[in-house]
Amino acid sequence: MLRILLIDDDPQKVAKYRELLVEMDEINPDCVAVATSIEQAEEFVSKEQYDLAVLDLYIPIRFGEEPSPDNAVAFLKDLSSDDDLKMPYNVVGITRWKDAPTKYKDFFDNHLLAYILYEQTSDDWREKLRNKINFLIKAQKSVSNQEVYDYDVAIINALLNENKKVREAFGSEGWSTVDIPSDRSTTYYSKIVTNSKGNRIRIVTCHALQMASTASAALTTKLLYYFRPKYLFMTGIAAAVNRKDANLGDILVATKVWDGASGKIKTDEEGNDIFYPDYHELPLDTDMESAITKLKQDEKLLDSIEKGFTYMTGKPKTRLQIHLGPIASVPAVLSSKEEVDKIQKHCRKLLGIEMEGYGVFFAASNCVHPRPKYKVLIKSVSDYADPEKSDNYQEYAMYTSAEFAKHIILNELQYK
């Protein structure tokens, strides 16, 4: 939907603009704002990105002051030079004064900006403005239908601390927040990094407000819609199922993510409630699985990640390893061996249990195009799914998962 800013202090002209816009079915009146001065216009463009600004040439700095075409020109220059102001994608100048000095029209011409003469006795201005808006509507539709990625990589986390480890992995400095005016509930962080081949990579990352698949699925849907990333990663912590299969801090990569709570509960003849699972699984792309399988043998990489953790406590004595296998997403933290055994009966090689991965994979598999080429769940072991749970190794697990994701992003993916 087009966002339009009308900058004009003449109520009659503004009413005429609104009449035109009401006639156009694809314009939402709620997406049209009116500024009656340059001061008010700058306030609007500091907060919102507009698709079109219709700028009256004779406009005051503040409402009630003397209007001047110099103010409109100064406003356009401010838009070009002030990074705190969001430049509208299109600007149309409009004036009812036929005798306006040619230097002002020349300014618009030199910047390839439209300049319209407003006459009450003619519909010429209406046709020109209508044609411009129709063109923008068609262009917006064309862009939304393109299979074009915007960002290279998106990284999602369930917890703030997990997300901090991601940003630290790529360097704490240089991250900027991305303002999405329509989304006040999530903070998105963006950074450009250079990979081993010299490619500039645009990364966006964010974290959910709470744990579990529902929250992460909703966040993933927003993230993919706003940023169109080519690759999607989720990092963080998980519980290993078997102490013999993975050590604390080890990196778990899901070859398939499945919903460990899908199914139905029936009452048997003896009155016992029995859960009958109906598991749905989503796989890791085979190319990515092959690349990670090779990295399992890279002792130099694993040694580098392990030694990069500078804290003296919270680090296990075992050597860091990578494991690939099925990971189940469940709606609650499990510390019951009995409950884990119920899940494991239906997946003999179950590697780990966490709460968000299936929601992320489901959202990425069913979002609007273009969908991510790869989606990768990387969770490191912070504890085991049994009564002996501990938070002692969460920091290290968050770190190892983020560092391994960073290595893949900088060294294993194609960006051209």
Side-chain angles (χ1 to χ4, degrees):
M1 191 65 68
L2 286 186
R3 292 154 296 180
I4 299 174
L5 176 62
L6 306 175
I7 309 171
D8 202 312
D9 65 331
D10 186 332
Q12 291 184 333
K13 283 172 65 184
V14 171
K16 290 293 184 182
Y17 298 151
R18 288 195 179 278
E19 284 180 14
L20 171 63
L21 296 176
V22 167
E23 295 172 6
M24 306 181 75
D25 293 337
E26 296 187 80
I27 298 297
N28 183 350
D30 292 337
C31 294
V32 179
V34 178
T36 56
S37 66
I38 294 299
E39 184 179 66
Q40 191 177 21
E42 291 194 347
E43 181 181 351
F44 277 118
V45 297
S46 68
K47 299 175 181 177
E48 183 96 20
Q49 178 70 62
Y50 290 94
D51 298 288
L52 172 65
V54 180
L55 173 62
D56 182 24
L57 184 61
Y58 280 77
I59 189 79
I61 295 291
R62 298 172 186 83
F63 184 74
E65 294 183 355
E66 190 70 22
S68 168
D70 291 330
N71 299 335
V73 171
F75 173 64
L76 293 174
K77 290 180 178 179
D78 286 344
L79 286 175
S80 299
S81 61
D82 191 339
D83 291 338
D84 291 332
L85 302 180
K86 298 176 176 60
M87 172 72 80
Y89 294 122
N90 293 269
V91 176
V92 172
I94 192 165
T95 183
R96 66 170 60 189
W97 302 106
K98 293 182 180 180
D99 57 350
T102 57
K103 66 177 181 178
Y104 298 112
K105 185 178 186 305
D106 291 343
F107 179 86
F108 277 77
D109 289 343
N110 289 337
H111 290 80
L112 296 179
L113 301 175
Y115 185 91
I116 301 174
L117 179 64
Y118 177 93
E119 294 180 289
Q120 287 184 318
T121 58
S122 171
D123 284 339
D124 182 65
W125 70 270
R126 290 172 59 90
E127 280 305 303
K128 289 180 179 178
L129 191 55
R130 181 194 297 274
N131 290 339
K132 180 67 174 179
I133 293 172
N134 281 330
F135 180 88
L136 294 178
I137 291 171
K138 180 66 181 298
Q140 191 177 72
K141 288 181 179 178
S142 298
V143 170
S144 64
N145 291 332
Q146 284 183 350
E147 293 282 327
V148 177
Y149 294 107
D150 187 2
Y151 277 68
D152 297 298
V153 175
I155 308 170
I156 191 168
N157 301 104
L159 303 170
L160 172 59
N161 287 340
E162 292 172 343
N163 192 251
K164 286 181 178 179
K165 283 291 183 285
V166 167
R167 283 178 275 145
E168 289 173 5
F170 289 94
S172 297
E173 301 298 322
W175 290 95
S176 59
T177 57
V178 182
D179 182 31
I180 306 292
S182 58
D183 184 3
R184 305 295 184 188
S185 62
T186 302
T187 301
Y188 301 96
Y189 301 93
S190 175
K191 185 175 183 177
I192 296 177
V193 299
T194 303
N195 72 350
S196 57
K197 298 178 182 178
N199 303 126
R200 286 165 56 84
I201 304 168
R202 298 183 73 195
I203 299 176
V204 60
T205 186
C206 60
H207 65 89
L209 296 179
Q210 64 185 62
M211 299 168 69
S213 274
T214 302
S216 291
L219 180 58
T220 301
T221 301
K222 293 195 300 182
L223 176 71
L224 300 182
Y225 178 78
Y226 292 136
F227 299 97
R228 295 182 173 221
K230 187 174 183 179
Y231 304 111
L232 174 66
F233 287 77
M234 185 177 206
T235 67
I237 58 176
V241 171
N242 195 321
R243 292 176 180 269
K244 296 179 181 179
D245 292 339
N247 296 314
L248 291 167
D250 279 1
I251 299 163
L252 310 182
V253 181
T255 54
K256 56 184 177 181
V257 184
W258 47 285
D259 182 0
S262 177
K264 63 174 65 176
I265 298 175
K266 289 184 177 181
T267 303
D268 65 13
E269 295 178 354
E270 298 177 357
N272 299 313
D273 290 337
I274 301 176
F275 175 68
Y276 293 88
D278 180 21
Y279 297 126
H280 301 281
E281 62 183 41
L282 296 168
L284 174 68
D285 184 90
T286 53
D287 290 345
M288 180 55 63
E289 182 176 349
S290 176
I292 294 174
T293 299
K294 291 179 183 178
L295 293 175
K296 284 181 61 177
Q297 314 302 320
D298 192 338
E299 294 186 8
K300 184 177 180 181
L301 166 64
L302 295 173
D303 188 55
S304 174
I305 293 175
E306 186 180 324
K307 291 182 177 179
F309 189 74
T310 57
Y311 298 97
M312 299 300 294
T313 59
K315 184 176 181 179
K317 296 179 181 179
T318 53
R319 293 297 305 275
L320 182 64
Q321 297 182 71
I322 299 168
H323 308 275
L324 289 98
I327 293 180
S329 295
V330 297
V333 176
L334 292 184
S335 59
S336 166
K337 187 178 186 306
E338 180 182 352
E339 292 299 319
V340 173
D341 288 344
K342 289 180 183 178
I343 297 174
Q344 199 168 13
K345 283 180 183 179
H346 306 282
C347 184
R348 183 172 56 85
K349 296 183 178 180
L350 181 65
L351 187 60
I353 294 176
E354 49 83 77
M355 298 176 64
E356 298 83 21
Y358 184 81
V360 172
F361 268 49
F362 185 87
S365 299
N366 293 276
C367 69
V368 297
H369 290 271
R371 293 170 181 159
K373 184 176 179 181
Y374 298 146
K375 47 190 182 294
V376 188
L377 178 66
I378 301 173
K379 294 277 188 99
S380 293
V381 181
S382 64
D383 56 47
Y384 296 94
D386 59 29
E388 299 180 26
K389 278 187 172 293
S390 168
D391 295 339
N392 295 343
Y393 299 99
Q394 284 191 358
E395 195 85 2
Y396 181 67
M398 293 176 189
Y399 160 81
T400 59
S401 65
E403 288 293 328
F404 184 57
K406 181 186 77 170
H407 175 83
I408 295 174
I409 290 165
L410 295 184
N411 298 281
E412 303 296 331
L413 300 178
Q414 297 293 324
Y415 297 98
K416 294 296 184 181

